[in-house]
Amino acid sequence: LSGLEENNAPFLANVATGDRMSISEAKALKFDLLGLDGEYLELIGEACRPTSFFIYGAGGSGKTTFTLNLADYLAIKGNKVLYVAGEQYRTPVFTKLLHRLQIEDRPNFVLTGNINSENLKGFDVVVLDSKDSQEFDVPDFIELRKRNPRITPIILSQATKDGGFTGSEKWRNEVDTMIVCERGIAYTNRDKNRWGGAGEMNIFENQYREAA
């Protein structure tokens, strides 16, 4: 794997050594898929491990509701998930949200208030809600991935008044999928998505009616 980042290793498990491959080798590649199906597959695409997500939106857009549901979905799929709730940790608002979304207690779904309080080595997915409350920036993200190349990070960000996200534009270069939440809809057709999904999902469909 000369010249390649360690966190690309799962994609290259079946590639012949060297910097070239035949068409038949390319067609025979096997990938470690994240296992998305249904609406998540349509929204995101056939994501492979490890990957990364950047979710942004204004207050009340539904980004926390969307992210909690996504984290719970990934836990149901067998991933060990760490959800860093930041300033919402141990608050009545967050507790009510967990009840409303019917997030069940699972041994592989852990909540914390500070990303530095946990050893990340045992987790498959780490959710940071949000980068702003944790003062987490691009260099921190790069270091996290360097130290934990098998982890799939999910980073939440506040939005700017013009509909962008707070912080450095370098986030767009570092993550695989950007998900925009706006008025209860999650979009992947408005920004970067490495995995090919280009659609939208109703965040509050059925019982999920109130914005988080």
Side-chain angles (χ1 to χ4, degrees):
L1 302 181
S2 175
L4 296 168
E5 295 294 334
E6 184 181 355
N7 61 5
N8 285 329
F11 303 110
L12 302 169
N14 306 318
V15 181
T17 57
D19 295 327
R20 64 174 67 180
M21 71 177 94
S22 68
I23 296 297
S24 60
E25 287 172 334
K27 291 168 70 175
L29 288 175
K30 304 294 182 183
F31 300 97
D32 184 12
L33 297 177
L34 193 56
L36 303 179
D37 55 19
E39 287 187 307
Y40 288 107
L41 178 60
E42 292 181 17
L43 182 72
I44 296 168
E46 290 192 329
C48 297
R49 311 173 203 268
T51 188
S52 55
F53 300 96
F54 188 94
I55 301 168
Y56 64 99
S61 64
K63 64 181 180 295
T64 295
T65 292
F66 173 81
T67 306
L68 269 171
N69 280 327
L70 174 60
D72 190 45
Y73 170 83
L74 292 174
I76 291 170
K77 287 289 184 180
N79 298 281
K80 188 170 183 183
V81 177
L82 176 67
Y83 196 105
V84 185
E87 61 188 11
Q88 295 195 76
Y89 188 60
R90 295 183 182 271
T91 65
V93 172
F94 194 68
T95 294
K96 287 180 181 179
L97 182 59
L98 292 172
H99 279 289
R100 179 165 60 82
L101 299 183
Q102 301 176 32
I103 305 294
E104 299 293 333
D105 191 22
R106 308 183 194 283
N108 59 331
F109 193 166
V110 180
L111 301 175
T112 187
N114 190 328
I115 192 171
N116 297 316
S117 68
E118 295 284 336
N119 183 349
L120 305 185
K121 296 295 184 184
F123 292 95
D124 303 304
V125 177
V126 174
V127 182
L128 190 62
D129 184 4
S130 66
K131 71 171 180 60
D132 304 283
S133 66
Q134 294 282 304
E135 299 183 346
F136 189 87
D137 209 344
V138 174
D140 304 304
F141 176 79
I142 294 171
E143 184 65 19
L144 182 150
R145 299 207 76 184
K146 180 180 178 181
R147 293 188 178 188
N148 306 277
R150 304 293 177 176
I151 281 178
T152 289
I154 301 176
I155 309 297
L156 273 73
S157 175
Q158 298 173 4
T160 58
K161 291 183 179 180
D162 62 1
F165 53 86
T166 58
S168 173
E169 278 292 317
K170 291 181 180 179
W171 281 107
R172 191 169 275 112
N173 299 326
E174 295 297 333
V175 299
D176 295 324
T177 300
M178 310 281 288
I179 300 174
V180 185
C181 294
E182 183 179 286
R183 297 182 179 180
I185 306 293
Y187 299 93
T188 51
N189 54 9
R190 296 188 178 183
D191 214 317
K192 172 185 179 181
N193 185 8
R194 176 181 183 183
W195 304 115
E200 57 188 63
M201 178 188 291
N202 188 334
I203 298 170
F204 306 125
E205 191 172 9
N206 300 323
Q207 72 266 40
Y208 308 134
R209 294 295 182 187
E210 299 176 28

